[in-house]
Amino acid sequence: DGLNELWNYVENNKAGVPPEYAKPAHYIYKISRQELTPIQFERTSHIISLKHKIDKITALSLLPIIRQSLLVHHVWNALQTYWSRKVAETSLDIVKSYEKGRKFVDMDDDAILNYAAHQWGSYHKLIHDLSAIDGVLSIHLLQPNPFVPNSKILTPEEQYRVTHSFPIEQYVVNGYPKLQKEISGLRPQGLIVEDLTGVFKRIDTSVWGDSAHVYKEGNRLIAEKIVELIKANKKSISPNRATQQRSATLQTAGKLSG
Protein backbone atom coordinates (compact mmCIF):
# COMPACT_ATOMS: atom_id res chain seq x y z
CA ASP A 1 0.00 0.00 0.00
CA GLY A 2 1.04 3.63 -0.12
CA LEU A 3 -0.86 5.92 -2.47
CA ASN A 4 -4.39 5.43 -1.14
CA GLU A 5 -3.17 5.72 2.44
CA LEU A 6 -2.23 9.31 1.59
CA TRP A 7 -4.72 10.27 -1.11
CA ASN A 8 -7.81 9.10 0.77
CA TYR A 9 -6.94 10.93 3.98
CA VAL A 10 -6.61 14.32 2.30
CA GLU A 11 -9.59 13.97 -0.03
CA ASN A 12 -11.84 12.63 2.73
CA ASN A 13 -10.94 15.48 5.04
CA LYS A 14 -11.63 18.04 2.31
CA ALA A 15 -15.04 16.44 1.72
CA GLY A 16 -15.95 16.80 5.39
CA VAL A 17 -15.74 13.13 6.34
CA PRO A 18 -13.31 11.27 8.66
CA PRO A 19 -9.87 10.95 7.01
CA GLU A 20 -9.44 7.29 8.02
CA TYR A 21 -12.44 6.04 6.04
CA ALA A 22 -11.87 4.17 2.79
CA LYS A 23 -13.39 6.37 0.07
CA PRO A 24 -16.53 7.95 1.55
CA ALA A 25 -16.16 11.15 -0.46
CA HIS A 26 -16.37 9.05 -3.63
CA TYR A 27 -19.43 7.13 -2.50
CA ILE A 28 -21.25 10.20 -1.19
CA TYR A 29 -20.83 11.61 -4.68
CA LYS A 30 -22.01 8.38 -6.32
CA ILE A 31 -25.11 8.08 -4.14
CA SER A 32 -26.00 11.76 -4.45
CA ARG A 33 -26.02 11.65 -8.25
CA GLN A 34 -29.52 10.20 -8.13
CA GLU A 35 -30.59 13.78 -7.45
CA LEU A 36 -29.95 14.97 -11.00
CA THR A 37 -30.38 18.74 -10.83
CA PRO A 38 -30.46 20.82 -14.05
CA ILE A 39 -26.83 21.91 -13.60
CA GLN A 40 -25.70 18.31 -13.01
CA PHE A 41 -27.69 17.17 -16.04
CA GLU A 42 -25.95 19.83 -18.12
CA ARG A 43 -22.51 18.80 -16.85
CA THR A 44 -23.20 15.10 -17.44
CA SER A 45 -24.49 15.80 -20.96
CA HIS A 46 -21.35 17.82 -21.66
CA ILE A 47 -19.14 14.89 -20.59
CA ILE A 48 -21.08 12.45 -22.78
CA SER A 49 -20.84 14.83 -25.74
CA LEU A 50 -17.08 15.23 -25.32
CA LYS A 51 -16.56 11.47 -25.08
CA HIS A 52 -18.58 11.00 -28.28
CA LYS A 53 -16.32 13.53 -29.99
CA ILE A 54 -13.21 11.66 -28.84
CA ASP A 55 -14.66 8.37 -30.12
CA LYS A 56 -15.57 9.86 -33.49
CA ILE A 57 -12.24 11.56 -34.15
CA THR A 58 -10.37 8.41 -33.04
CA ALA A 59 -12.39 6.28 -35.45
CA LEU A 60 -11.81 8.84 -38.21
CA SER A 61 -8.05 8.93 -37.61
CA LEU A 62 -7.89 5.15 -38.01
CA LEU A 63 -9.59 4.98 -41.41
CA PRO A 64 -7.40 3.10 -43.94
CA ILE A 65 -7.04 6.08 -46.27
CA ILE A 66 -5.79 8.63 -43.74
CA ARG A 67 -4.30 6.69 -40.83
CA GLN A 68 -0.79 6.90 -42.34
CA SER A 69 -0.85 10.70 -42.18
CA LEU A 70 1.25 12.24 -39.41
CA LEU A 71 -0.80 15.43 -39.66
CA VAL A 72 -3.99 13.50 -38.92
CA HIS A 73 -2.47 12.00 -35.80
CA HIS A 74 -1.09 15.35 -34.64
CA VAL A 75 -4.59 16.84 -34.99
CA TRP A 76 -6.10 13.81 -33.21
CA ASN A 77 -3.62 14.11 -30.34
CA ALA A 78 -4.31 17.83 -29.88
CA LEU A 79 -8.10 17.45 -29.91
CA GLN A 80 -8.12 14.29 -27.83
CA THR A 81 -5.89 15.90 -25.19
CA TYR A 82 -8.03 19.05 -25.07
CA TRP A 83 -11.35 17.19 -24.86
CA SER A 84 -10.01 14.71 -22.29
CA ARG A 85 -8.90 17.60 -20.11
CA LYS A 86 -12.38 19.13 -20.40
CA VAL A 87 -13.94 15.79 -19.40
CA ALA A 88 -11.68 15.63 -16.34
CA GLU A 89 -12.44 19.24 -15.37
CA THR A 90 -16.20 18.79 -15.71
CA SER A 91 -16.10 15.50 -13.80
CA LEU A 92 -14.20 17.25 -11.01
CA ASP A 93 -16.82 20.02 -10.96
CA ILE A 94 -19.50 17.39 -10.40
CA VAL A 95 -17.55 15.72 -7.60
CA LYS A 96 -16.77 18.99 -5.84
CA SER A 97 -20.41 20.12 -6.02
CA TYR A 98 -21.27 17.34 -3.54
CA GLU A 99 -18.62 18.28 -1.01
CA LYS A 100 -19.81 19.79 2.25
CA GLY A 101 -17.62 22.84 1.84
CA ARG A 102 -15.79 22.37 5.14
CA LYS A 103 -13.05 20.08 6.34
CA PHE A 104 -13.71 17.35 8.87
CA VAL A 105 -10.58 18.35 10.77
CA ASP A 106 -9.25 21.91 10.55
CA MET A 107 -5.74 20.92 9.47
CA ASP A 108 -3.77 21.72 6.34
CA ASP A 109 -2.97 18.98 3.83
CA ASP A 110 0.61 18.50 5.04
CA ALA A 111 -0.58 17.92 8.61
CA ILE A 112 -3.13 15.40 7.34
CA LEU A 113 -0.37 13.59 5.42
CA ASN A 114 1.74 13.45 8.59
CA TYR A 115 -1.23 11.99 10.43
CA ALA A 116 -1.87 9.49 7.62
CA ALA A 117 1.74 8.31 7.65
CA HIS A 118 1.73 7.90 11.43
CA GLN A 119 -1.49 5.86 11.28
CA TRP A 120 -0.01 3.74 8.48
CA GLY A 121 3.01 2.91 10.61
CA SER A 122 0.87 2.21 13.68
CA TYR A 123 -1.40 -0.17 11.78
CA HIS A 124 1.56 -2.11 10.40
CA LYS A 125 3.05 -2.43 13.88
CA LEU A 126 -0.28 -3.79 15.14
CA ILE A 127 -0.51 -6.28 12.26
CA HIS A 128 3.06 -7.42 12.93
CA ASP A 129 2.45 -7.89 16.66
CA LEU A 130 -0.74 -9.88 16.12
CA SER A 131 0.87 -12.03 13.43
CA ALA A 132 3.93 -12.75 15.56
CA ILE A 133 1.75 -14.15 18.36
CA ASP A 134 0.62 -16.95 16.05
CA GLY A 135 3.89 -17.39 14.17
CA VAL A 136 2.54 -15.87 10.97
CA LEU A 137 4.93 -14.14 8.57
CA SER A 138 3.93 -10.54 7.88
CA ILE A 139 5.63 -8.48 5.19
CA HIS A 140 4.82 -4.82 4.65
CA LEU A 141 5.43 -3.20 1.27
CA LEU A 142 5.46 0.42 0.14
CA GLN A 143 4.15 0.33 -3.40
CA PRO A 144 5.97 2.10 -6.25
CA ASN A 145 4.54 5.13 -8.00
CA PRO A 146 5.68 6.99 -11.13
CA PHE A 147 5.66 10.31 -9.29
CA VAL A 148 8.30 9.20 -6.77
CA PRO A 149 11.36 11.27 -7.83
CA ASN A 150 14.08 9.31 -9.68
CA SER A 151 12.18 6.01 -9.35
CA LYS A 152 12.01 5.36 -13.11
CA ILE A 153 12.74 7.13 -16.38
CA LEU A 154 9.31 7.13 -18.01
CA THR A 155 8.87 6.16 -21.64
CA PRO A 156 6.90 8.59 -23.86
CA GLU A 157 3.88 6.28 -23.57
CA GLU A 158 4.13 6.22 -19.78
CA GLN A 159 4.64 9.97 -19.62
CA TYR A 160 1.45 10.53 -21.60
CA ARG A 161 -0.62 8.04 -19.59
CA VAL A 162 0.65 9.29 -16.24
CA THR A 163 0.10 12.94 -17.15
CA HIS A 164 -3.46 12.28 -18.34
CA SER A 165 -4.43 10.18 -15.35
CA PHE A 166 -5.21 10.62 -11.66
CA PRO A 167 -4.07 14.01 -10.27
CA ILE A 168 -2.10 12.55 -7.39
CA GLU A 169 1.39 13.97 -7.85
CA GLN A 170 1.20 16.24 -4.78
CA TYR A 171 0.18 13.35 -2.53
CA VAL A 172 3.08 11.20 -3.70
CA VAL A 173 5.77 13.90 -3.72
CA ASN A 174 4.72 15.31 -0.33
CA GLY A 175 3.51 12.12 1.33
CA TYR A 176 5.86 9.32 0.31
CA PRO A 177 8.84 10.76 2.22
CA LYS A 178 6.66 10.61 5.33
CA LEU A 179 5.86 6.93 4.70
CA GLN A 180 9.55 6.22 4.07
CA LYS A 181 10.38 7.89 7.39
CA GLU A 182 7.87 5.57 9.09
CA ILE A 183 9.61 2.60 7.47
CA SER A 184 12.94 3.63 8.99
CA GLY A 185 11.26 3.59 12.39
CA LEU A 186 9.53 0.23 11.91
CA ARG A 187 12.56 -1.83 10.88
CA PRO A 188 14.39 -1.51 14.25
CA GLN A 189 11.23 -2.92 15.87
CA GLY A 190 11.63 -6.18 13.93
CA LEU A 191 9.16 -5.55 11.13
CA ILE A 192 9.90 -6.76 7.61
CA VAL A 193 9.21 -3.58 5.67
CA GLU A 194 10.30 -3.04 2.08
CA ASP A 195 10.33 0.18 0.08
CA LEU A 196 9.51 -0.92 -3.49
CA THR A 197 9.56 2.58 -4.98
CA GLY A 198 12.78 1.77 -6.85
CA VAL A 199 11.72 -1.65 -8.16
CA PHE A 200 11.41 -0.32 -11.75
CA LYS A 201 14.49 1.92 -11.67
CA ARG A 202 16.46 -0.12 -14.23
CA ILE A 203 13.46 -0.97 -16.45
CA ASP A 204 13.52 0.95 -19.74
CA THR A 205 10.23 -0.39 -21.16
CA SER A 206 6.70 0.77 -20.35
CA VAL A 207 5.47 -0.48 -16.99
CA TRP A 208 2.95 2.17 -15.91
CA GLY A 209 -0.57 2.15 -17.38
CA ASP A 210 -1.50 5.33 -15.50
CA SER A 211 -0.37 7.23 -12.42
CA ALA A 212 -1.42 4.44 -10.07
CA HIS A 213 -1.52 1.09 -11.89
CA VAL A 214 1.06 -1.05 -13.68
CA TYR A 215 0.82 -3.35 -16.68
CA LYS A 216 1.21 -7.14 -16.39
CA GLU A 217 5.02 -6.89 -16.52
CA GLY A 218 5.01 -4.51 -13.56
CA ASN A 219 2.86 -6.89 -11.54
CA ARG A 220 5.25 -9.73 -12.38
CA LEU A 221 8.28 -7.80 -11.15
CA ILE A 222 6.54 -6.89 -7.90
CA ALA A 223 5.39 -10.49 -7.40
CA GLU A 224 8.95 -11.75 -7.89
CA LYS A 225 10.17 -9.33 -5.24
CA ILE A 226 7.51 -10.54 -2.82
CA VAL A 227 8.51 -14.17 -3.43
CA GLU A 228 12.15 -13.27 -2.72
CA LEU A 229 11.14 -11.66 0.56
CA ILE A 230 9.09 -14.67 1.62
CA LYS A 231 11.95 -17.06 0.83
CA ALA A 232 14.43 -14.89 2.69
CA ASN A 233 12.25 -14.73 5.81
CA LYS A 234 10.93 -18.28 6.11
CA LYS A 235 12.63 -18.55 9.48
CA SER A 236 10.14 -16.02 10.83
CA ILE A 237 7.34 -18.57 10.45
CA SER A 238 6.81 -20.57 13.63
CA PRO A 239 7.54 -24.33 13.28
CA ASN A 240 4.35 -24.94 15.26
CA ARG A 241 2.44 -22.80 12.82
CA ALA A 242 3.85 -24.75 9.86
CA THR A 243 2.89 -28.04 11.53
CA GLN A 244 -0.63 -26.76 12.20
CA GLN A 245 -0.97 -25.69 8.58
CA ARG A 246 0.13 -29.11 7.29
CA SER A 247 -2.26 -30.84 9.71
CA ALA A 248 -5.16 -28.63 8.65
CA THR A 249 -4.37 -29.29 4.99
CA LEU A 250 -4.32 -33.06 5.52
CA GLN A 251 -7.59 -32.94 7.46
CA THR A 252 -9.24 -30.91 4.72
CA ALA A 253 -7.94 -33.31 2.05
CA GLY A 254 -9.29 -36.27 4.06
CA LYS A 255 -12.74 -34.72 4.32
CA LEU A 256 -12.81 -33.96 0.62
CA SER A 257 -11.72 -37.49 -0.33
CA GLY A 258 -14.25 -38.99 2.10
Side-chain angles (χ1 to χ4, degrees), residues 37-129:
T37 62
I39 184 64
Q40 301 298 47
F41 182 83
E42 181 180 339
R43 286 168 172 163
T44 302
S45 298
H46 185 50
I47 290 172
I48 293 172
S49 175
L50 288 169
K51 288 187 175 181
H52 278 316
K53 288 181 179 180
I54 293 172
D55 289 343
K56 286 181 179 179
I57 195 171
T58 299
L60 179 64
S61 70
L62 294 174
L63 289 174
I65 300 175
I66 63 174
R67 66 186 178 192
Q68 302 299 328
S69 170
L70 290 177
L71 177 61
V72 167
H73 290 288
H74 281 305
V75 172
W76 169 84
N77 184 58
L79 290 175
Q80 190 269 352
T81 300
Y82 174 75
W83 288 334
S84 294
R85 186 171 68 250
K86 289 298 180 183
V87 167
E89 290 172 355
T90 307
S91 297
L92 188 59
D93 287 339
I94 294 176
V95 173
K96 288 188 175 296
S97 70
Y98 289 108
E99 294 180 357
K100 295 181 179 180
R102 57 182 175 79
K103 294 181 177 180
F104 186 81
V105 182
D106 188 18
M107 298 168 62
D108 61 32
D109 290 354
D110 193 63
I112 289 292
L113 290 174
N114 279 322
Y115 174 64
H118 175 71
Q119 292 294 89
W120 180 78
S122 298
Y123 293 150
H124 277 308
K125 181 64 168 64
L126 177 61
I127 291 169
H128 169 78
D129 290 343

